């Protein structure tokens, strides 16, 4: 069991591309320079460049804590805060903690109790030598990807107005279980009224049909940051202890059972998208009798996205079935029928 847990942890680290810091790099990562942070606060370089912050480095411990918390919420959104620092154009997320908030399937609401808890937690952390400040918040998008909704944008804009520097991270726990690696995104919003320059197309992600409008309306109000992960010998023991809990939960759960509502929703969403695309194709055919090049390109793009989504869903289901078969063979004991040979000699005519 211990060997299996260790192997699974190594695989999880490889899947999420977690790099071990060593030497001077590790010392710099974990050293909190109060003078440096005060100087950054005084200079406020992000006010001159809305796109100032470009990178996020997350510790493996913080990543695992956020993933476990988001997964514990199931289909309900959960929320927490991140502690760390900023150095030049990079956020360093060293730790994370959950907030006692009320969530629904589409939003999460932080009340006064949550803010009081956050203040008490940070003050207690400083008393035990953890000097990092709160540098952002994270919450879950169960089953519908990592992007900023209208409510998320409003919350982040408010935080950036009064608590800079501040970062938003979104995790999809359901897709994390399905894909085997943490589905995560890091974002910052632009100032109100700012018109961002045209940016290259970001990596395609599956958006449910019911969320596409919200996704498209607010897509120009924020930008994503590059994320990388690190660990060091200082947090290896804590990571191993936390991993054992995560590993047991992973073994005891079945993605086929736990994600069945999500998979059914994916199939239903694909059917709706196909019906929508078919309707557009039929409408284009009736209105003009032939396709203009731009219309043909748009329709092909929609069908290509639907094909991509269906392939992704199929591959994830095959992986989950294979995982379940392996667990069944390993943990469900069955006496072998092949050894029940008769003690009497075989008779032949």
């Amino acid at each position: 069991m211990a060997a299996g847990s260790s192997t699974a942890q190594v695989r999880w680290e490889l899947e999420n591309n977690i790099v071990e810091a060593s030497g001077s790099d590790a010392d710099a990562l974990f050293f909190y320079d109060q003078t440096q942070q005060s100087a950054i606060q005084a200079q406020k370089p992000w006010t001159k460049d809305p796109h100032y912050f470009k990178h996020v480095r997350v510790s493996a411990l913080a990543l695992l804590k956020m993933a476990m918390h988001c997964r514990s919420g199931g289909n309900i959104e959960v929320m927490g805060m991140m502690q760390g620092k900023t150095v030049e154009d990079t956020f360093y997320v060293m730790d994370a903690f959950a907030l006692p908030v009320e969530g629904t399937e589409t939003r999460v609401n932080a009340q006064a109790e949550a803010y009081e808890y956050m203040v008490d937690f940070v003050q207690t952390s400083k008393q035990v030598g953890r000097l990092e400040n709160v540098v952002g918040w994270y919450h879950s998008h169960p089953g519908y990807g990592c992007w900023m909704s209208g409510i998320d944008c409003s919350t982040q804009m408010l935080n950036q107005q009064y608590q800079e520097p501040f970062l938003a991270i979104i995790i999809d726990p359901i897709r994390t279980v399905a894909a085997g690696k943490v589905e995560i995104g890091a974002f910052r919003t632009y100032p109100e009224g700012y018109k961002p320059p045209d940016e290259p197309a970001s990596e395609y992600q599956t958006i449910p049909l019911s969320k596409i409008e919200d996704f498209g309306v607010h897509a120009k109000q924020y930008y994503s940051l590059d994320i990388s992960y690190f660990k060091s010998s200082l947090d290896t023991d804590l990571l191993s202890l936390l991993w054992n809990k995560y590993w047991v939960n992973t073994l005891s759960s079945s993605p086929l059972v736990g994600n069945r509502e999500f998979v059914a929703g994916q199939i239903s969403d694909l059917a709706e998208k196909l019906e929508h695309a078919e309707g557009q194709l039929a409408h284009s055919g009736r209105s003009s009798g032939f396709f203009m090049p731009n219309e043909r390109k748009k329709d092909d793009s929609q069908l290509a996205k639907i094909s991509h989504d269906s392939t992704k869903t199929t591959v994830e289901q095959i992986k989950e079935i294979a995982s379940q078969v392996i667990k069944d063979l390993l943990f469900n004991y069955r006496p072998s029928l092949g050894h029940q040979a008769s003690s009497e000699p075989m008779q032949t005519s």
Side-chain angles (χ1 to χ4, degrees):
M1 182 71 176
S5 174
S6 177
T7 303
Q9 182 179 344
V10 171
R11 181 178 178 182
W12 181 81
E13 292 175 1
L14 290 173
E15 288 279 355
N16 291 284
N17 197 24
I18 295 173
V19 179
E20 183 166 2
S22 60
S24 59
D25 186 33
D27 295 337
L29 285 173
F30 289 90
F31 178 70
Y32 187 84
D33 189 338
Q34 183 64 56
T35 303
Q36 180 191 47
Q37 295 303 305
S38 298
I40 293 173
Q41 283 287 350
Q43 294 169 4
K44 301 186 187 305
W46 51 84
T47 59
K48 302 174 185 177
D49 180 8
H51 207 282
Y52 175 75
F53 291 106
K54 299 176 177 63
H55 308 282
V56 183
R57 296 190 69 183
V58 183
S59 74
L61 187 63
L63 177 66
L64 187 57
K65 289 173 73 172
M66 289 189 291
M68 289 178 64
H69 179 216
C70 291
R71 183 176 175 182
S72 69
N75 292 327
I76 303 299
E77 288 194 11
V78 298
M79 173 184 171
M81 309 303 292
M82 300 177 294
Q83 292 175 286
K85 60 183 179 179
T86 57
V87 179
E88 296 180 347
D89 63 352
T90 304
F91 280 92
Y92 288 83
V93 179
M94 312 304 296
D95 203 357
F97 61 93
L99 284 182
V101 297
E102 297 179 359
T104 67
E105 292 185 358
T106 56
R107 67 173 62 187
V108 60
N109 303 310
Q111 306 296 334
E113 180 186 356
Y115 291 110
E116 292 174 5
Y117 178 88
M118 178 180 68
V119 172
D120 290 342
F121 190 96
V122 173
Q123 290 177 348
T124 304
S125 296
K126 292 183 182 297
Q127 291 174 5
V128 297
R130 295 298 302 270
L131 303 179
E132 294 89 2
N133 292 315
V134 171
V135 294
W137 66 302
Y138 71 89
H139 71 288
S140 59
H141 273 188
Y144 50 95
C146 300
W147 49 277
M148 298 275 277
S149 67
I151 296 173
D152 297 339
C153 287
S154 299
T155 302
Q156 180 62 18
M157 283 182 179
L158 191 64
N159 286 324
Q160 288 183 204
Q161 186 175 355
Y162 294 104
Q163 301 187 64
E164 282 280 51
F166 214 77
L167 173 72
I169 277 184
I170 297 173
I171 294 176
D172 187 336
I174 295 179
R175 292 186 179 180
T176 294
V177 174
K181 62 177 292 186
V182 180
E183 190 84 9
I184 188 173
F187 308 98
R188 276 178 58 83
T189 53
Y190 293 117
E192 189 173 357
Y194 175 78
K195 185 178 180 180
D198 292 335
E199 298 179 352
S202 58
E203 183 179 353
Y204 173 72
Q205 60 174 317
T206 305
I207 307 294
L209 192 61
S210 60
K211 303 285 186 181
I212 285 179
E213 183 176 355
D214 191 24
F215 171 78
V217 168
H218 304 285
K220 292 292 185 180
Q221 295 183 14
Y222 63 91
Y223 70 95
S224 60
L225 290 77
D226 294 329
I227 306 180
S228 59
Y229 312 103
F230 66 90
K231 71 169 187 174
S232 76
S233 58
L234 296 175
D235 56 9
T236 298
D237 291 339
L238 287 175
L239 186 63
S240 297
L241 291 172
L242 196 60
W243 174 261
N244 287 335
K245 181 179 178 182
Y246 178 82
W247 172 241
V248 170
N249 290 338
T250 302
L251 280 181
S252 62
S253 65
S254 169
L256 290 174
V257 176
N259 285 357
R260 56 187 175 187
E261 291 184 6
F262 170 64
V263 175
Q266 280 187 311
I267 296 173
S268 176
D269 186 65
L270 283 171
E272 290 181 17
K273 287 179 178 178
L274 278 171
E275 186 177 349
H276 183 71
E278 185 181 7
Q280 287 188 331
L281 285 169
H283 176 73
S284 300
R286 287 195 301 268
S287 60
S288 61
F290 61 92
F291 290 107
M292 298 296 290
N294 290 338
E295 291 177 348
R296 167 65 73 181
K297 185 176 181 181
K298 181 179 178 181
D299 293 331
D300 288 346
S301 176
Q302 287 183 343
L303 291 174
K305 290 178 179 179
I306 294 171
S307 175
H308 177 278
D309 293 346
S310 62
T311 302
K312 182 180 178 182
T313 301
T314 303
V315 170
E316 289 174 353
Q317 285 302 292
I318 291 173
K319 287 173 63 178
E320 290 176 4
I321 292 171
S323 173
Q324 194 63 25
V325 169
I326 292 172
K327 288 181 184 179
D328 183 57
L329 292 173
L330 287 175
F331 300 108
N332 292 338
Y333 173 73
R334 297 182 183 85
S336 175
L337 298 178
H339 294 98
Q340 296 179 359
S342 174
S343 59
E344 298 180 0
M346 182 180 296
Q347 296 181 358
T348 58
S349 56

